[in-house]
Amino acid sequence: LTSDLRYRIVRNTVAVGLTGVLLAGFLVPFPRVDSILGQTARNLFFHVPMWFTLMAAMAVSAWHAFKYLRTKDLVRDLRSAEAARVGLAFGLFGITTGMVWARFTWYQGTGLWWNNDPKQLMAAVQLLIYAGYFVLRSTLDDPVRRARLSAAYNLFAAACVPFLLYVVPRQMASLHPGAEGSPAFSQVTHWTMRLVLYPSFLLFIGLFWVLYTQRVRLALLARRLNPEPEL
Amino acid sequence: MPLLIQSADSLAAPDTAATIQQVAPEAPPTPLERVMLQQDKLYVVAAVVLIIWLGVLALLYRNDRRIARLERALDEGENG
C-alpha cells in the first residue's frame, strides 16, 4: 500500500510537473547565444531529458539484471525487461527529436536528416545494442535460460552506455556541447533555461518510472493468470 | 558528414555550428524548410514536442492492447 501511494504521488507530480515544463518550455525567456539555434534552443528541455531518461531506465534495467543473476528470481528478469523496453522508447524519442533539430538548424539547406554526428552515430549503436537485447529475448523460449542470458547481455549493454554516449563522442568534433570544437554546456546555457531543464530531467525520469511501473504491474498480472512452469 | 570533421580542424571560435553552416552547400529553402523555419524556428520545437507526445501515445496504445489481452484471458478462464 505504501508502494501504491508512492506510485500515485509520482504519477500526479509527473502529470502536473510535465504540464508545467511543457508550458515553460515554450514561454521561458532566454538570451540568444547563437545565430543558428533561434527558438530551437528550447529543444534543450525536450531532447536532452530523453537521453537522461534512457540512462536512468537502463540503470534500473541493469540493476534488476544484476539482481536476477544473484537471486534467480524471475520477477527481476521481468522488471529488467520492462525497464529496458520503456527506456528504449525514450531512446527512440531522443534520436528522432535530435534528427529533426539538426535538420532545420545546423543542416538547414543540406537536406541531411542523418548527419553522422559522432554522438548521433554512437547513440544509434547503443539503441541497436538494446534492440539486440529484445531480439535475444524473443529467440529464447525457456524462461530461466532467457532470463540468465538476457541478464548477462543487459549488463554488457549497460556497460557500453557511458562509453558510447559520453567518452567516445566527446573525443570527436560534434555539434553536442562538451565535444571538440563545441562550447561546454555551462558556457552556453542561461540560468533561466536551467530553471526549466533540471525539473524536466526529473519529471521525464518520473514519467519513465510511471510507465515502467504500469508495464510491470501488467506483466505481473499476466504471470498470475498464466504462470510459467517453474523449472 | 566529412564536412563536420573538416570544419572543426579550422576552428577558432567556440561556435562550431557557425563554421558548419559556412561549409554547408547553400541551397534555396525547400517547402518543408519554409514551414519549419517560421517564427524564428519555433516550429522545430513544436515538432520535437509532437514526436515525444506521439511516442507516449504509442506506449499508451501498447498498454491498452496488453490490458485487452489480459481481459480476454480472464474471460476465458471464467468460462472455461
Side-chain angles (χ1 to χ4, degrees):
Chain A
L1 272 170
T2 39
S3 72
D4 185 45
L5 185 66
R6 187 179 57 200
Y7 170 77
R8 283 196 226 178
I9 290 171
V10 174
R11 183 196 59 192
N12 296 348
T13 311
V14 164
V16 175
L18 271 186
T19 310
V21 162
L22 208 62
L23 271 176
F26 275 97
L27 299 179
V28 71
F30 60 90
R32 289 183 75 122
V33 289
D34 185 300
S35 56
I36 294 150
L37 282 174
Q39 293 292 332
T40 71
R42 299 182 184 280
N43 281 343
L44 182 74
F45 311 133
F46 305 110
H47 168 71
V48 185
M50 295 303 114
W51 295 105
F52 277 72
T53 306
L54 172 114
M55 286 184 269
M58 294 323 185
V60 170
S61 182
W63 166 250
H64 287 295
F66 172 74
K67 287 300 263 185
Y68 172 77
L69 293 174
R70 299 288 297 272
T71 62
K72 307 290 173 204
D73 177 2
L74 282 173
V75 174
R76 294 288 188 181
D77 174 59
L78 178 156
R79 285 184 168 275
S80 182
E82 294 303 343
R85 199 188 304 277
V86 182
L88 186 57
F90 276 91
L92 291 175
F93 304 166
I95 210 146
T96 336
T97 54
M99 281 167 68
V100 172
W101 192 0
R103 168 67 181 82
F104 297 105
T105 49
W106 301 279
Y107 289 92
Q108 177 195 332
T110 65
L112 285 175
W113 286 92
W114 188 265
N115 53 58
N116 284 333
D117 182 272
K119 206 154 195 168
Q120 186 182 43
L121 209 54
M122 297 297 156
V125 171
Q126 185 65 60
L127 295 188
L128 286 174
I129 289 174
Y130 275 111
Y133 172 76
F134 291 103
V135 173
L136 174 69
R137 292 186 71 86
S138 68
T139 55
L140 297 167
D141 288 328
D142 171 6
V144 175
R145 199 173 132 79
R146 178 176 62 213
R148 186 164 41 86
L149 289 178
S150 55
Y153 183 91
N154 190 300
L155 291 177
F156 150 74
C160 295
V161 170
F163 295 98
L164 289 179
L165 297 188
Y166 273 95
V167 179
V168 178
R170 282 186 166 236
Q171 309 302 314
M172 300 186 243
S174 169
L175 297 170
H176 290 88
E180 275 293 312
S182 280
F185 170 82
S186 55
Q187 282 175 275
V188 289
T189 311
H190 193 246
W191 67 269
T192 55
M193 303 192 86
R194 291 169 199 239
L195 227 52
V196 182
L197 180 65
Y198 296 146
S200 178
F201 284 150
L202 290 178
L203 289 161
F204 272 110
I205 291 171
L207 177 64
F208 151 75
W209 190 79
V210 169
L211 292 167
Y212 155 73
T213 307
Q214 288 181 349
R215 298 285 309 181
V216 169
R217 283 160 67 194
L218 279 171
L220 286 175
L221 260 183
R223 237 170 78 100
R224 266 164 63 185
L225 274 170
N226 190 11
E228 282 162 349
E230 296 289 336
L231 295 171
Chain B
M1 140 207 32
L3 99 201
L4 185 66
I5 318 265
Q6 285 165 6
S7 67
D9 288 337
S10 57
L11 187 75
D15 198 341
T16 325
T19 325
I20 289 165
Q21 217 183 33
Q22 285 162 18
V23 183
E26 284 299 320
T30 63
L32 182 62
E33 279 177 343
R34 273 203 294 277
V35 173
M36 296 300 284
L37 303 180
Q38 286 175 61
Q39 313 270 351
D40 197 15
K41 304 190 182 177
L42 193 57
Y43 280 39
V44 181
V45 187
V48 160
V49 171
L50 223 71
I51 287 167
I52 297 170
W53 170 236
L54 292 178
V56 172
L57 275 185
L59 293 177
L60 194 72
Y61 275 76
R62 276 181 69 114
N63 282 355
D64 218 345
R65 271 217 311 274
R66 185 127 209 215
I67 292 168
R69 257 208 313 275
L70 281 176
E71 283 170 342
R72 273 200 304 277
L74 257 176
D75 286 344
E76 281 164 23
E78 279 169 9
N79 300 334

